[in-house]
């Protein structure tokens, strides 16, 4: 037993505060702003672009430098802004409120701020006070603590002298003094806050796949750079030329994918916000698509946290109407209504009584009562009233219902209405009682839950319920929601299990009861070890650690601030079914990014092959850095539209394999025709001018484009051949890239060599619009000069247009006959 303490003196408290024993709020826990900016701006991908951009800037190639580093800066700003936003939310996170508390200092009660409490202080705890430190209840005290936010247990817990009071809980009844034993970061609330503040940076499956693709392409670009730069060194290329070539090769890396993903995530977050799901981490929208198991709390998530009257069972000769009227009278005339009273008053009408005495419900009594002219009525737990009943209640009537997870209360009437409900000392006491009826209550299931559970199960998503309540009650609620499985398991059964044994138990169990926050976290970790992709849904502080551990954390808006702040998605209407639209929107994002990958990688592979082929032929380099900007038309604009037009169908489980099946033939065929066009134009100019047979009009055009004079400047022929060949190659590549979109999203069977027709007219209109836009580039002097091309030339179109027809026919045959599938051993259908 712990005797009441006198508390500390002011001097003792100040000395302990200086020693660092104060209940100071948890600080830090996430990366600083400088580190966030440094890691995002100077990432591995961006460093390469920045080095190239700096070199071009020194050489006076300002537009080339802008193109080289622009996307890197945009990606850095977007990623840094998102992480800074998350940091601010985490740094604000605190489990404890800042209301003053009473401590005994110098022998008298003094109100101080929670962070002024020190270890060894004695605190006065009253109803409505939040417990701000950990420590035992001292002698002379007895109270009830609501620990639902910490443990998930919905009923108040009676605390006797010597029992620990945990920070973060709430005193709902009683009075007493507490010794401050654990304060600040060492308290339960401090540890929970520190854990919740821990920054997590899980990447989604799509982000990991794209990072792998980018690294692979980057490795190939580096190898190509080494080979070409070695050749440049042997041939004596200028420094400017070397830097320009390096800039072009770095442009093969599809950095725009990261920007495209950011756009798709943002648009997806806006869409699901309209259905009641607020995405606080934008990648959570896509991540929901990969979820194959959802762990959810019970109270506040599956249920509303309220009770509903399920049944009234009259006992003996009593009638239903009389029992319903008495229950309604008790509920409507109570001055301190609880959840039970609100459930009864919502379901039953009741007369107005002139109340003479009232005994409010408390968890220590486990009953409440009213004394009025109509009699003395009591409502409470059957076992709490059993010792004062005139005759017992049939046990089967109770056990059958409690086994279904229902709450059963007994309505009884005092045999002697004048005796009242108190003893001679005025303390609450039960008289001899006549059993009247059973009031059967059920946790109110959210109306949308059963349908949402059915949809998730039909999509192959498994659901598990993790609750601090009694396992039987949890299992019954889960069954009503459509979540069934083996016998429920208690948290205590998990304590002595090692990881392999825990994994086996978790894999085969759907309902867990009496689980602490640590148990929930272990269960989520176990599922992740088994390769599952986990979403955790909760509303209390007891769910925060599990939310942080899951790949997707989902919080109810009505839940605690801590839980909302650490969640990836917040259900603003507390509607469990809002997760389904989030999952469908994630599918749209994955499908959209998937089709964009086909376009991106086809361009990268085709250009890479052309560079290798042209270099091997000993011709001039086929691209300039400014021509890399044409990817705005061939990749940038198309992928944005195709991403937003994607349908929310199930994502392709073999995306990487099918990328190879499409990109390999498209790149080889396109590069073959592109290299031929480049070689034809380059040879035409060099041989034609060398013999003096160049048409006068073309000579004037070259002079205007290159700034060199025919017959005077020695580099005229080389420069003219390069710019004509580059114009022909760029024209062919742009139109081929536009038509490639129709292979990926064919409206009719004309282009349906790779996939079935979609019937969607929008991709066709997009292709037509892109062709018109590129035609404008070739016709407007300011634009074709900016991109380093020639103006309109009949020679270019007389060669490019027939080649496009041959390219289309060749690619159609290759796709329809699956020639590359057979060559690569990938003959399975798409």
């Amino acid at each position: 037993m712990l005797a009441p303490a006198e508390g500390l003196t002011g001097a003792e408290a100040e000395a302990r505060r200086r020693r660092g024993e104060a209940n100071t709020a948890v600080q830090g826990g996430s990366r600083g702003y400088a580190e966030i900016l440094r890691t995002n701006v100077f990432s591995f991908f961006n460093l390469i672009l920045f080095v190239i951009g700096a070199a071009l800037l020194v050489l006076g190639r300002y537009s080339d430098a802008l193109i080289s580093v622009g996307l890197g800066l945009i990606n850095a700003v977007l990623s840094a802004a998102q992480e800074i936003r998350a940091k601010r939310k985490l740094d604000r996170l605190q489990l404890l409120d800042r209301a003053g508390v009473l401590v005994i200092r110098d022998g008298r009660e003094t109100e101080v701020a929670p962070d002024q409490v020190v270890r060894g202080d004695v605190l006065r705890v009253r109803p409505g006070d939040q417990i701000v430190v950990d420590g035992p209840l001292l002698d002379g005290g007895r109270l009830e603590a609501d620990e639902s936010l910490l443990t998930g247990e919905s009923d108040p817990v009676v605390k006797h002298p010597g029992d620990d009071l945990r920070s973060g809980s709430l005193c709902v009844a009683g009075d007493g003094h507490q010794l401050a034993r654990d304060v600040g970061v060492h308290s339960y609330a401090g540890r929970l806050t520190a854990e919740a503040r821990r920054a997590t940076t899980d990447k989604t499956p799509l982000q990991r796949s794209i990072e792998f693709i980018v690294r692979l392409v980057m490795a190939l670009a580096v190898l190509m750079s080494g080979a070409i730069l070695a050749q440049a060194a042997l041939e004596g290329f200028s420094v400017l030329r070397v830097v320009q070539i390096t800039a072009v090769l770095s442009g093969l890396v599809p950095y725009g994918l990261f920007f495209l993903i950011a756009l798709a995530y943002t648009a997806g977050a806006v869409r699901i916000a309209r259905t009641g799901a607020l995405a606080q981490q934008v990648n959570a929208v896509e991540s929901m698509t990969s979820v194959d198991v959802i762990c959810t709390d019970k109270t506040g998530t599956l249920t509303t946290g309220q009770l509903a009257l399920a049944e009234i069972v009259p006992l003996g000769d009593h009638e239903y109407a009389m029992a319903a009227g008495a229950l309604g009278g008790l509920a409507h005339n109570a001055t301190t209504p609880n959840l039970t009273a609100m459930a009864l008053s919502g379901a039953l009408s009741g007369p107005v009584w002139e109340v003479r005495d009232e005994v409010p419900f408390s968890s220590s009594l486990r009953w409440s009562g009213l004394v009025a002219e109509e009699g003395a009525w009591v409502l409470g737990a059957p076992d709490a009233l059993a010792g004062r009943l005139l005759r017992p209640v049939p046990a089967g009537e109770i056990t059958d219902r409690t086994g279904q997870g229902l709450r059963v209360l007994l309505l009884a009437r005092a045999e002697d209405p004048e005796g009242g409900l108190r003893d001679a000392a005025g303390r609450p006491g039960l008289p001899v009682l006549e059993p009247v009826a059973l009031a059967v209550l059920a946790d109110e299931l959210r109306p949308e839950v059963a349908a949402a559970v059915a949809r998730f199960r039909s999509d192959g998503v498994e659901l598990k319920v993790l609750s601090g309540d009694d396992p039987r009650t949890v299992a019954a609620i889960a069954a009503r929601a459509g979540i069934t499985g083996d016998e429920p398991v208690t948290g205590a059964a998990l304590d002595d299990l090692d990881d392999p044994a825990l994994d086996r138990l978790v894999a085969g169990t759907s309902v867990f009861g009496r689980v602490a926050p640590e148990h929930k976290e272990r269960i989520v970790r176990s599922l992740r070890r088994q390769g599952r992709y986990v979403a955790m849904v909760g509303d209390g502080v007891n769910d925060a650690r599990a939310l942080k551990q899951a790949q997707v954390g989902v919080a109810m808006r009505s839940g605690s601030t801590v839980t909302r702040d650490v969640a990836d998605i917040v259900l603003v209407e507390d509607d469990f079914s809002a997760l389904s639209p989030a999952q469908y929107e994630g599918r749209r994002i994955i499908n959209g990014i998937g089709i964009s990958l086909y376009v991106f990688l086809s361009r990268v592979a085709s250009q890479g092959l052309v560079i290798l082929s042209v270099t091997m032929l000993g011709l001039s380099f086929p691209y300039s850095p400014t021509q890399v900007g044409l990817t705005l038309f061939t990749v940038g604009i198309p992928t944005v539209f195709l991403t937003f037009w994607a349908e929310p169908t199930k994502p392709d489980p073999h995306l990487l394999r099918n990328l190879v099946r499409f990109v390999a033939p498209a790149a080889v065929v396109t590069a073959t025709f592109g290299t031929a066009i480049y070689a034809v134009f380059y040879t035409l100019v060099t041989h034609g001018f060398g013999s003096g047979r160049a048409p006068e009009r073309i000579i004037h055009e070259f002079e205007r484009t290159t700034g060199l004079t025919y017959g005077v400047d020695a580099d005229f022929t080389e420069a003219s051949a390069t710019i004509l060949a580059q114009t022909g190659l760029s024209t062919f590549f742009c139109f081929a890239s536009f038509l490639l979109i129709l292979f990926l999203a064919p409206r009719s069977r004309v282009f349906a060599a790779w996939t079935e027709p979609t019937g969607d007219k929008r991709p066709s209109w997009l292709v037509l619009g892109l062709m018109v836009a590129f035609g404008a580039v070739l016709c407007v002097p300011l634009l074709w000069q900016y991109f380093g091309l020639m103006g309109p030339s009949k020679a270019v179109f007389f060669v490019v247009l027939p080649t496009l027809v041959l390219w289309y026919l060749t690619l159609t045959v290759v796709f329809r006959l699956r020639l590359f599938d057979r060559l690569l051993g990938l003959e399975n259908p798409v």
Side-chain angles (χ1 to χ4, degrees):
M1 302 290 285
L2 299 174
E6 296 296 329
L8 302 175
T9 65
E12 290 173 331
E14 178 62 22
R16 296 191 180 198
R17 187 188 66 78
R18 287 197 298 268
R19 292 201 302 266
E21 297 181 4
N23 189 44
T24 53
V26 175
Q27 302 295 329
S30 58
R31 297 199 299 172
Y33 293 110
E35 185 179 0
I36 290 173
L37 290 174
R38 179 178 58 79
T39 55
N40 283 284
V41 174
F42 299 104
S43 66
F44 176 69
F45 301 118
N46 289 341
L47 279 176
I48 295 176
L49 287 179
F50 293 162
V51 169
I52 294 171
L56 289 170
L57 198 63
V58 170
L59 295 169
R61 308 289 294 190
Y62 303 115
S63 60
D64 293 350
L66 179 63
I67 292 172
S68 296
V69 302
L71 282 177
L73 287 174
I74 292 174
N75 290 329
V77 169
L78 288 174
S79 56
Q82 179 178 339
E83 189 169 350
I84 288 173
R85 176 175 173 270
K87 171 185 167 55
R88 287 177 175 172
K89 292 181 68 65
L90 291 176
D91 288 349
R92 290 197 307 267
L93 188 152
Q94 287 290 345
L95 175 57
L96 302 179
D97 61 35
R98 310 317 298 166
V101 296
L102 291 177
V103 299
I104 299 178
R105 296 270 177 88
D106 298 316
R108 63 178 183 274
E109 291 184 354
T110 304
E111 183 172 332
V112 299
D115 58 4
Q116 296 299 312
V117 176
V118 299
R119 196 170 75 84
D121 260 328
V122 173
L123 290 79
R124 172 79 181 278
V125 182
R126 302 165 299 176
D129 288 347
Q130 186 182 44
I131 311 299
V132 298
V133 294
D134 294 353
L137 181 66
L138 301 176
D139 276 358
R142 187 174 183 278
L143 53 82
E144 299 174 21
D146 179 1
E147 298 182 342
S148 57
L149 281 179
L150 304 179
T151 65
E153 171 62 63
S154 55
D155 295 326
V157 180
V158 178
K159 298 291 185 178
H160 301 282
D163 292 343
D164 261 5
L165 301 178
R166 290 198 286 183
S167 51
S169 59
L170 185 70
C171 176
V172 294
D175 198 328
H177 291 86
Q178 178 197 15
L179 176 65
R181 184 190 64 224
D182 300 322
V183 299
V185 296
H186 303 292
S187 68
Y188 189 79
R191 294 194 301 272
L192 274 180
T193 302
E195 180 67 21
R197 280 188 171 193
R198 181 176 53 86
T200 53
T201 55
D202 272 348
K203 292 181 180 177
T204 67
L206 180 62
Q207 287 174 318
R208 289 196 296 269
S209 297
I210 289 180
E211 185 170 313
F212 167 76
I213 291 171
V214 170
R215 287 183 181 274
L216 178 62
V217 173
M218 181 174 289
L220 295 175
V222 169
L223 292 175
M224 291 172 57
S225 299
I228 294 174
L229 292 177
Q231 181 186 19
L234 294 174
E235 296 178 3
F237 279 13
S238 65
V239 175
L240 173 61
R241 193 61 177 156
V242 169
V243 174
Q244 287 178 323
I245 291 173
T246 305
V248 170
L249 290 172
S250 68
L252 295 179
V253 180
Y255 295 99
L257 278 176
F258 296 109
F259 179 62
L260 180 63
I261 289 175
L263 283 179
Y265 283 168
T266 302
V270 170
R271 286 195 186 104
I272 69 168
R274 299 172 187 154
T275 66
L278 174 64
Q280 302 194 127
Q281 294 291 335
V282 290
N283 66 354
V285 183
E286 178 254 315
S287 198
M288 269 302 300
T289 304
S290 301
V291 168
D292 57 11
V293 58
I294 295 177
C295 297
T296 176
D297 188 23
K298 176 185 73 69
T299 306
T301 52
L302 296 182
T303 65
T304 62
Q306 304 296 318
L307 297 174
L309 179 63
E311 186 181 10
I312 297 176
V313 183
L315 300 173
D317 297 331
H318 297 291
E319 296 181 355
Y320 179 90
M322 187 269 284
L327 286 169
L330 275 171
H332 285 281
N333 291 281
T335 58
T336 55
N338 53 19
L339 288 178
T340 300
M342 289 188 288
L344 293 174
S345 61
L348 303 169
S349 59
V352 178
W353 290 349
E354 185 178 342
V355 178
R356 301 172 183 171
D357 188 21
E358 178 181 6
V359 177
F361 176 85
S362 69
S363 56
S364 56
L365 291 176
R366 300 176 63 212
W367 60 270
S368 63
L370 287 178
V371 178
E373 185 177 346
E374 289 77 7
W377 296 89
V378 174
L379 181 66
D383 59 326
L385 308 185
R388 303 297 295 170
L389 296 178
L390 282 175
R391 56 181 178 275
V393 177
E397 296 283 359
I398 299 174
T399 57
D400 288 348
R401 291 169 174 81
T402 55
Q404 302 172 32
L406 301 173
R407 302 188 182 195
V408 180
L409 298 177
L410 174 61
L411 173 67
R413 181 172 55 187
E415 186 181 30
D416 178 12
E418 300 300 327
L421 301 176
R422 298 182 186 272
D423 59 19
R427 294 188 296 266
L430 289 172
V432 177
L433 298 171
E434 168 73 17
V436 175
L438 295 176
V440 183
L441 301 169
D443 286 301
E444 187 178 59
L445 197 67
R446 292 190 181 277
E448 73 284 349
V449 163
V453 167
R455 282 196 298 272
F456 282 123
R457 291 173 70 93
S458 65
D459 285 339
V461 179
E462 184 180 356
L463 289 101
K464 296 181 184 291
V465 184
L466 320 179
S467 175
D469 280 345
D470 183 275
R472 294 174 301 173
T473 303
V474 179
I477 293 295
R480 288 170 53 197
I483 305 171
T484 56
D486 297 336
E487 287 296 315
V489 173
T490 63
L494 310 179
D495 290 334
D496 298 327
L497 298 180
D498 58 13
D499 286 348
L502 177 67
D503 293 349
R504 290 192 296 272
L505 179 64
V506 169
T509 305
S510 298
V511 176
F512 297 84
R514 296 285 185 229
V515 290
E518 296 81 5
H519 295 135
K520 294 185 178 184
E521 186 179 24
R522 283 196 71 196
I523 291 169
V524 173
R525 283 182 176 173
S526 171
L527 290 166
R528 294 192 63 164
R529 277 197 305 272
Q530 298 172 55
R532 309 297 296 275
Y533 207 90
V534 186
M536 175 68 199
V537 186
D539 67 332
V541 177
N542 62 306
D543 301 313
R545 292 173 62 173
L547 261 69
K548 293 285 288 184
Q549 190 61 227
Q551 281 100 336
V552 184
V554 182
M556 297 292 184
R557 184 173 181 267
S558 61
S560 70
T561 304
V562 170
T563 310
R564 292 198 304 270
D565 282 348
V566 303
D568 301 307
I569 296 176
V570 176
L571 303 181
V572 293
E573 301 297 334
D574 290 346
D575 186 350
F576 190 73
S577 64
L579 287 178
S580 291
Q583 194 173 44
Y584 295 144
E585 194 58 44
R587 290 177 177 177
R588 185 195 306 275
I589 290 173
I590 290 178
N591 289 334
I593 298 296
I595 197 171
S596 299
L597 278 173
Y598 285 95
V599 177
F600 261 110
L601 295 181
S602 296
R603 189 268 300 177
V604 168
S606 301
Q607 287 188 324
L609 290 174
V610 167
I611 291 173
L612 285 177
S613 302
V614 169
T615 303
M616 291 174 62
L617 292 174
L619 307 179
S620 62
F621 198 75
Y623 296 103
S624 69
T626 52
Q627 288 163 5
V628 175
L630 290 171
T631 55
L632 173 69
F633 299 100
T634 60
V635 175
I637 294 175
T639 52
V640 169
F641 281 98
L642 293 174
T643 298
F644 289 109
W645 289 341
E647 295 296 325
T649 56
K650 286 189 176 182
D652 181 4
H654 306 293
L655 177 61
L656 292 179
R657 180 175 67 86
N658 285 332
L659 275 172
V660 174
R661 297 177 60 236
F662 180 86
V663 171
V668 170
V669 173
T670 305
T672 299
F673 282 96
T675 301
I677 286 178
Y678 190 88
V680 165
F681 282 121
Y682 189 89
T683 305
L684 175 67
V685 174
T686 54
H687 284 67
F689 285 8
S691 305
R693 295 192 298 272
E696 191 71 21
R697 186 182 60 79
I698 293 181
I699 292 176
H700 291 319
E701 182 69 26
F702 285 151
E703 288 179 336
R704 186 171 70 253
T705 303
T706 64
L708 303 175
T709 303
Y710 177 60
V712 176
D713 294 301
D715 294 332
F716 178 81
T717 301
E718 175 72 20
S720 302
T722 299
I723 199 167
L724 177 62
Q726 288 179 346
T727 301
L729 177 63
S730 295
T731 303
F732 169 75
F733 252 72
C734 286
F735 282 111
S737 298
F738 302 153
L739 294 176
L740 206 60
I741 295 172
L742 299 181
F743 281 101
L744 292 167
R747 176 188 173 188
S748 63
R749 292 199 170 274
V750 176
F751 283 88
W754 166 253
T755 188
E756 293 297 321
T758 63
D760 190 351
K761 300 179 182 178
R762 293 174 298 182
S764 301
W765 287 109
L766 173 64
V767 170
L768 180 61
L770 291 170
M771 288 182 172
V772 171
F774 182 70
V777 170
L778 294 177
C779 294
V780 177
L782 182 64
L783 294 178
W784 56 256
Q785 288 172 7
Y786 174 80
F787 286 111
L789 303 174
M790 275 186 56
S793 171
K794 291 182 179 179
V796 170
F797 286 100
F798 283 154
V799 174
V800 168
L801 292 181
T803 305
L804 275 173
V805 175
L806 290 175
W807 167 85
Y808 161 71
L809 294 175
T810 303
L811 197 55
T812 298
V813 171
V814 169
F815 278 148
R816 288 192 183 278
L817 299 181
R818 306 298 188 203
L819 297 181
F820 273 73
D821 290 3
R822 298 174 185 176
L823 178 64
L824 299 174
L826 302 172
E827 298 177 272
N828 295 332
V830 178

